[in-house]
Each structure stands twice: as C-alpha cells, then as structure tokens.
Amino acid sequence: MDTTKTSAPLTPETADSAEPQTPAHADQADGSTPAGTKADTTKAEADVSTADTEAPADLNGEADDLDGPDDLDGFDEPQDRIVGGVGAAASAIVAAGLGLLALSGTWVSRVIAERQTLIGQIESVNATTTEAKIDALYGDAWHLTALVNGVVSTLALLLAVFVLARPAFGAPGRVLPVWIRSVAWAAVALGALGVLLFGFMYFDLLLPLPKAAG
C-alpha cells in the first residue's frame, strides 16, 4: 500500500499567493522600511533640520540689521532741538536797533533837550554868574539827553539778556538759532556800551561842562 501522499494540484488562488515576493514586499513583510521610503524619509529629515538651522540665522541677520547704526539713525532724537521763535527773533532785532539808536541819539532825547534849553534861557535871565548861565542853558539839556539815551540803552541791554536767557527757563534741550544769538549778543554789546557812555556823561565824568575863565 502506497503511503506517500500526492500533493494537491495548485489552484489559481494558491498560485497567486505563491508568487515570489519582490524585495519591497519582502521588506514590508519583515516589518522593515523599503529602501525608497528610507531615502525619502532621510531627505525630509534633512530638509527639516536645514530649515531649523537657517531660521535662527535669518532672525539673527535681521536683528543685526536692526542693531546697525544706519537703521537706528531715524529713531535717535537730537540732543539739542533748535527752536527759533518769532518772538525771540523780533526781540533780538529790536534790542539791537534800540542799542544802535541810543548811541546815535533818539528823537525823544533831542526834543527833551531842546525843551530844557528853552527853559534854561528863561532861567538864565536871573543867573548871577557865568557858570550858572552855562549850566542853565546847556548843562541841564545835556544831562537830560544822556539820561534818556541811557534809559534806552538799558532797555536794549535787558531785552537782549532776556532773549539769551529765555531758552534756559523753557523746555530742556531748546536752543536758539545762531543768527538770533548773534544779534542778541550784538545788542548786549551796544546796550552795555551805551549804559557806560551815557552814565559817564550824566555824572560829568566824560565831557564835563566847560567853565568860564576867571
């Protein structure tokens, strides 16, 4: 009796399942990743790592650009703000004009001097000495002229000093333009010169009254 078993004929379904597996299918069956899939995964990981590495560099580059001196120039405020007000400019010009006008003689001082000369002529009739007549005719008129021009010079000096000192009492960092300060300093010089000159004339320290001989 033949005990060997003959193999059953292969059906089409069994034949299909018995087909040799490709390397990719074999890898999948073993639980491993195909070579093509490994290559794609490695490339994707490399791209991600490259993007992560380059992002901080870009951010650092932008930070360096912002920290540069050229980019921060627009945000830096100047330490001194030049402010040229119309009032300061007008005051400086007026002060310089008053100082120059006082040195050359004002119309008001001439009118007052002429009036005092007329009064002196009336009073000189009763004068008993020559010095009294000279003082009545000219001395009082000259003194009033020096007094009026000295007052004008003092006003010019005070106005110029106010213009120069005004920014110190305003907002911090405010300065006047150069031309306003130049005019104001010129007015200070003219005013101070007028105050000294007319002060000496008023007290007869400069150009005193002449005295009659004998």
Side-chain angles (χ1 to χ4, degrees):
M1 183 177 181
D2 191 3
T3 58
T4 59
K5 295 181 180 180
T6 59
S7 59
L10 296 176
T11 62
E13 295 178 356
T14 307
D16 293 337
S17 60
E19 289 181 356
Q21 297 179 352
T22 60
H25 292 167
D27 293 338
Q28 291 178 357
D30 296 339
S32 60
T33 305
T37 307
K38 288 184 178 180
D40 295 339
T41 305
T42 305
K43 183 177 180 181
E45 291 177 354
D47 294 339
V48 172
S49 61
T50 304
D52 294 339
T53 306
E54 292 178 355
D58 295 336
L59 293 177
N60 293 332
E62 294 177 359
D64 294 337
D65 295 340
L66 291 177
D67 293 337
D70 297 336
D71 295 333
L72 294 179
D73 289 341
F75 299 96
D76 292 341
E77 295 182 357
Q79 296 180 354
D80 296 334
R81 293 179 297 170
I82 299 178
V83 179
V86 177
S91 299
I93 295 174
V94 169
L98 288 177
L100 184 61
L101 185 62
L103 291 176
S104 61
T106 61
W107 176 82
V108 176
S109 64
R110 288 196 298 268
V111 171
I112 293 176
E114 290 176 359
R115 182 178 181 278
Q116 188 61 38
T117 300
L118 179 59
I119 295 174
Q121 290 176 356
I122 296 173
E123 293 177 351
S124 65
V125 176
N126 299 325
T128 57
T129 62
T130 304
E131 292 181 357
K133 289 182 179 180
I134 293 175
D135 188 36
L137 290 173
Y138 304 103
D140 294 339
W142 289 355
H143 289 163
L144 285 177
T145 301
L147 179 62
V148 173
N149 290 332
V151 170
V152 175
S153 297
T154 303
L155 292 176
L157 178 61
L158 294 177
L159 186 58
V161 170
F162 173 77
V163 171
L164 293 174
R166 179 66 181 85
F169 298 97
R174 296 184 61 183
V175 294
L176 294 173
V178 177
W179 74 271
I180 295 181
R181 285 180 285 173
S182 301
V183 174
W185 278 113
V188 168
L190 293 174
L193 179 62
V195 170
L196 293 175
L197 178 61
F198 296 120
F200 290 157
M201 291 178 63
Y202 182 80
F203 294 104
D204 291 332
L205 299 175
L206 180 65
L207 300 176
L209 288 174
K211 295 181 179 180

